[in-house]
Amino acid sequence: MNISPDDFGKLFKEFQREAFRLETLDDYSKSGGVDAYHAFLAGKPQPEEYKSAGWVTTVRNATEAGRRMYRVHILSRPLSNYLRFELGWGYIRNQAAGEEFFILDTTEQPNPLQGVPDFWAFDERNVVSMQYGGSGEFLGAELLPESQAQEWLAHRDEAMRRAEPFPEWWERYKPE
């Protein structure tokens, strides 16, 4: 079933233990933070409204309450312009608010989760599959039946087994 933006947003406020995200795309540039992305491309500083975006508050509120928010991004090098922005600005900003990031780098290995779409898993029960267009625009999300959660959690577990913490990966590969 399709989940409304309001119901999807409630999941971020109501989860009790953990929220996990798998990211698989090289470009989400039409899905949010568009002005900040253009500032990044132009070599300008981060806009203040980007630094204090609502997502940062969502993450901080959750992590300060003892709830874990974490994600794995499957990517390969060289990084797209968008990934340089997302990792260099977004991940660093969100990490300061308490979100954890991991990288599954497929530059020198096959993608073990080829064909698995982006998704969020909340408390190992609610899984939301994300749909994106070819230009990185968010098209919608589907709340999957709870009976399918274990299949998606197996994808999470595989991603986490193969990923490394973002800070270590970034230290080795961040663009100059």
Side-chain angles (χ1 to χ4, degrees):
M1 83 179 82
N2 286 330
I3 186 169
S4 73
D6 286 341
D7 287 341
F8 192 23
K10 285 179 188 175
L11 290 171
F12 291 97
K13 292 182 175 75
E14 296 173 355
F15 77 94
Q16 298 299 304
R17 293 179 314 285
E18 68 175 43
F20 169 82
R21 167 81 188 262
L22 181 71
E23 292 184 303
T24 64
L25 303 179
D26 290 336
D27 186 354
Y28 298 92
S29 62
K30 302 222 177 16
S31 295
V34 175
D35 292 339
Y37 179 52
H38 290 291
F40 172 83
L41 291 175
K44 296 180 180 175
Q46 287 187 34
E48 287 304 315
E49 61 273 9
Y50 179 76
K51 292 179 186 179
S52 61
W55 180 251
V56 177
T57 302
T58 297
V59 170
R60 186 172 290 113
N61 288 345
T63 59
E64 286 180 353
R67 298 179 290 157
R68 184 180 190 200
M69 295 187 78
Y70 64 117
R71 64 178 81 195
V72 171
H73 199 133
I74 300 173
L75 56 77
S76 63
R77 295 173 272 114
L79 299 177
S80 67
N81 284 336
Y82 183 82
L83 286 179
R84 289 187 308 103
F85 159 73
E86 180 181 49
L87 278 59
W89 281 17
Y91 280 20
I92 301 297
R93 173 196 71 177
N94 296 352
Q95 204 171 235
E99 191 170 3
E100 300 170 57
F101 297 94
F102 300 86
I103 302 295
L104 197 168
D105 190 332
T106 60
T107 303
E108 298 172 3
Q109 66 177 329
N111 180 350
L113 296 171
Q114 187 68 41
V116 175
D118 283 40
F119 69 91
W120 277 100
F122 300 90
D123 292 332
E124 299 189 340
R125 182 175 81 242
N126 294 311
V127 176
V128 177
S129 175
M130 316 279 287
Q131 290 91 42
Y132 290 90
S135 300
E137 69 275 10
F138 179 65
L139 301 176
E142 181 180 3
L143 178 61
L144 302 173
E146 202 170 312
S147 61
Q148 294 179 12
Q150 288 307 311
E151 171 189 344
W152 294 85
L153 296 174
H155 296 318
R156 175 205 61 194
D157 294 346
E158 180 69 9
M160 287 298 293
R161 259 193 303 282
R162 294 174 175 260
E164 66 178 293
F166 169 69
E168 286 86 350
W169 184 90
W170 189 244
E171 187 61 34
R172 281 196 319 277
Y173 297 115
K174 70 179 167 189
E176 295 304 320

